[in-house]
Amino acid sequence: MSAFDHIAARLPDAFRLLWRETVSSTNDELRVLAEQGMAEGLVLVAEEQTAGRGRRGAEWFSPKGESLAFSVLLRPSEPIVFWPQLSLAAGLAVAEALEKSVPLAEIKWPNDVLIGGNKICGILVEAGRDFVIVGIGINVNTEKFPYGLAATSLCIEHGGEVAREEVLLEVVNRLARHSKKIGARFGEVIAGVRERCYLTGQLVSLLSAEKRREGVVKGIGPVGELLVEIDGVTEGIVQADEVRVLK
Ligand code: BTN
C-alpha cells in the first residue's frame, strides 16, 4: 500500500504504476524490466533512490518522501531518429503539469524545467535497443536545498504542500499524449516548448563537441534544435553537454 495506489485507475490506457520504497535508480531498475520485455507504459516510482543519476553522471538530490522520482517505459513506434525528441516532449509534459500549481514553468533546453530561473525538475532520457526510459525527478515538497544549488520546489513556489501523486498523474497523462507526437506531429510539442523557452534571448556559454563557445539563443528550431547565433551566424545545436546562461 502506498500513497500512489489511488491514482492507478486514473492513469491513461496501458499505463501501470509500480511503486518501490527504495531503489538504486528508477532508470536502472526500469531498464532491467524493459530488457525482460515489459510492455510500454510501466511507471516505476520510488520513495528513495540510493544512486539517483542526473545527466553526465551527476548525483540527483531527491529527499525521501518529499520529491518525485520516477521513470516511464516507452516503446516508440516512430523511427529511432525521432527518439531524442522525447526529451522536449517530457519537458513540456512536466511544465504543463506544474502549471496546475504555478503560473509558468520554463523549459531550459534540452532537459530541465525551471521556475523563476531555479531548477524544479531534471529529466534523464535513456534509450535501449527497442525502448526508451524517461526518468523524471521533480522537487515537490522540499523546503531546503543544499547550499549553492539553484533549485526550487512546487511547495516553495505554490506556498504550501502539493500532493505528489497528483503531480505524477498530471505528468504521466501529458507524457502519454506528447510522446505520441514525436516525428509527424512534433510541431505541436515545439509550439508549447517555444512558449516556455527559458533560453530565448539569453547570452549563453555552450559546450558542444568538446568546444566551448558563446552565443545568443534565438529560439528552438522545428526539430527541437537550439538556435544559437554565434559570430553573426545562427546554428542549430542538436546536442550539448552544457548550456550556461551568462549574466
Ligand atoms: C538532470 O537534471 O541531470 C537529470 C535528473 C534526472 C533525475 C531522475 S530521478 C528519476 C530518474 N532516476 C534517476 O536515476 N534519474 C532520473
Side-chain angles (χ1 to χ4, degrees), residues 39-83:
E40 160 158 295
L42 191 63
V43 180
L44 175 58
V45 55
E47 289 300 331
E48 180 182 38
Q49 296 187 112
T50 54
R53 292 182 288 111
R55 290 174 75 217
R56 299 186 310 281
E59 194 184 329
W60 179 250
F61 173 75
S62 69
K64 186 173 182 175
E66 295 176 4
S67 50
L68 266 177
F70 63 101
S71 299
V72 182
L73 172 59
L74 299 175
R75 294 189 182 275
S77 52
E78 295 78 7
I80 195 165
V81 62
F82 296 120
W83 295 6

Side-chain angles (χ1 to χ4, degrees), residues 22-242:
T22 305
V23 297
S24 54
S25 149
T26 54
N27 269 33
D28 294 346
E29 296 233 349
L30 193 56
R31 173 178 285 270
V32 173
L33 299 174
E35 283 167 350
Q36 288 168 359
M38 198 63 74
E40 160 158 295
L42 191 63
V43 180
L44 175 58
V45 55
E47 289 300 331
E48 180 182 38
Q49 296 187 112
T50 54
R53 292 182 288 111
R55 290 174 75 217
R56 299 186 310 281
E59 194 184 329
W60 179 250
F61 173 75
S62 69
K64 186 173 182 175
E66 295 176 4
S67 50
L68 266 177
F70 63 101
S71 299
V72 182
L73 172 59
L74 299 175
R75 294 189 182 275
S77 52
E78 295 78 7
I80 195 165
V81 62
F82 296 120
W83 295 6
Q85 296 180 347
L86 287 167
S87 285
L88 288 179
L92 182 61
V94 171
E96 288 175 349
L98 299 184
E99 287 167 6
K100 288 259 163 186
S101 310
V102 295
L104 176 70
E106 292 181 289
I107 297 167
K108 179 172 178 258
W109 184 94
N111 285 105
D112 292 342
V113 181
L114 314 184
I115 295 183
N118 292 315
K119 183 159 167 170
I120 192 162
C121 165
I123 297 168
L124 183 64
V125 178
E126 296 178 318
R129 201 177 49 82
D130 56 358
F131 62 85
V132 177
I133 289 169
V134 180
I136 299 177
I138 305 177
N139 304 325
V140 181
N141 289 319
T142 305
E143 292 187 64
K144 289 212 161 50
F145 292 92
Y147 180 76
L149 209 61
T152 190
S153 70
L154 259 192
C155 171
I156 293 170
E157 302 297 332
H158 174 76
E161 274 209 13
V162 177
R164 290 180 306 148
E165 60 279 15
E166 294 299 327
V167 179
L168 176 74
L169 183 66
E170 293 292 340
V171 174
V172 172
N173 271 317
R174 286 171 171 77
L175 182 60
R177 288 203 306 271
H178 293 328
S179 64
K180 297 294 175 213
K181 297 176 184 166
I182 63 170
R185 292 174 59 201
F186 196 54
E188 295 171 36
V189 172
I190 290 297
V193 171
R194 284 182 179 145
E195 284 171 21
R196 298 171 174 83
C197 183
Y198 172 71
L199 293 174
T200 300
Q202 306 253 37
L203 175 66
V204 297
S205 165
L206 189 75
L207 180 63
S208 136
E210 295 183 7
K211 276 194 295 188
R212 186 170 284 286
R213 296 177 300 163
E214 285 183 16
V216 175
V217 175
K218 295 295 175 185
I220 305 288
V223 292
E225 71 278 30
L226 188 70
L227 302 174
V228 188
E229 188 181 290
I230 302 170
D231 298 330
V233 178
T234 299
E235 284 185 35
I237 308 290
V238 288
Q239 194 275 331
D241 291 321
E242 187 187 77

